[in-house]
Amino acid sequence: RAKAAAWSTINAIRASGARVVNMSFGGSQRGWEAVLQFHGVGKDGEERRALARRYFTEARDNFRDAVASAPEILFITTSGNSDSDSGFEETSPADIQLPNLMTIGAVDSAGQETSFSSFGRTTVAHANGYQVDSLVPGGGRLRASGTSTAAPQVANLAAKLWALYPGLSVAQVRQLILDGAERNGRVNLIHPRRTLELAARLQGSGPRPADVMLAAAPGVP
């Protein structure tokens, strides 16, 4: 059912005409093991590990194929909040490598990597993910932390790029975000204004970045 749901979701997104999708979620084999143990599945730890490996691998590979089937859409996901290497942990979808997928880590308001942000080979950019002023259902507000609050800011930047320049490709939007970012060690902090300036230069005509209201979170230029 999960595998069918992944394809159904991606197909619905394609049908909607969306250009960018935020995916603030993730999972791992260890997560599957915990679920199996909670529900009493498997006669012992060894059997649970084998089952978890099978289920996790099938779900991850199926989801990767579903995302890859929509190359015209840019998918943004989170690196995770366990302060670990998402490649070593095999976190999905954080560790999936696709040209239309970006994995995002979190920094604090000073632009430093947070203590919880995971990292790894696929974490290509960062955004503020610490005490981010957020709206919640019902109109309330709270300050939330996590890579799940950082990734939507990158999706927001991609959306601004396409709002200004609908003709940009996924590859161009991805590269503009990366080219405009500020590198500091393994942190690659997005810089919306610089990215929009690069886009304006690339396009040569059309709206100027100054025409766009940049509702950047604190600490993000």
Side-chain angles (χ1 to χ4, degrees), residues 79-104:
S79 64
N81 302 318
S82 60
D83 185 29
S84 60
D85 189 318
S86 56
F88 181 80
E89 296 287 335
E90 293 188 290
T91 308
S92 176
D95 194 47
I96 294 175
Q97 289 184 298
L98 288 172
N100 63 329
L101 174 63
M102 297 178 73
T103 299
I104 309 302

Side-chain angles (χ1 to χ4, degrees), residues 146-194:
T147 53
S148 288
T149 62
Q153 296 180 57
V154 182
N156 177 273
L157 177 54
K160 284 186 170 73
L161 285 166
W162 269 310
L164 283 168
Y165 310 109
L168 289 173
S169 67
V170 165
Q172 286 175 315
V173 167
R174 189 180 193 278
Q175 198 60 49
L176 283 165
I177 293 172
L178 296 179
D179 288 347
E182 294 182 331
R183 172 67 68 177
N184 181 16
R186 69 183 181 194
V187 169
N188 198 30
L189 180 59
I190 63 165
H191 194 308
R193 189 173 297 279
R194 183 178 300 167

Side-chain angles (χ1 to χ4, degrees), residues 1-12 58-59 62-63 66:
R1 288 196 299 268
K3 290 163 72 173
W7 283 94
S8 177
T9 299
I10 298 301
N11 289 334
E58 287 187 9
N62 175 76
F63 188 77

Side-chain angles (χ1 to χ4, degrees), residues 13-92:
I13 292 169
R14 296 185 77 174
S16 76
R19 305 293 300 273
V20 59
V21 175
N22 181 74
M23 303 188 299
S24 287
F25 58 80
S28 67
Q29 179 180 326
R30 287 198 295 181
W32 279 92
E33 287 184 45
V35 169
L36 293 175
Q37 184 174 12
F38 180 81
H39 290 285
V41 178
K43 63 183 179 182
D44 53 30
E46 184 177 351
E47 183 173 80
R48 278 192 292 272
R49 279 191 294 275
L51 285 171
R53 185 64 191 170
R54 173 190 163 192
Y55 296 152
F56 167 72
T57 302
E58 287 187 9
R60 178 198 62 197
D61 293 351
N62 175 76
F63 188 77
R64 177 200 61 208
D65 294 345
V67 171
S69 74
E72 74 280 12
I73 300 172
L74 179 61
F75 293 85
I76 310 293
T77 193
T78 63
S79 64
N81 302 318
S82 60
D83 185 29
S84 60
D85 189 318
S86 56
F88 181 80
E89 296 287 335
E90 293 188 290
T91 308
S92 176

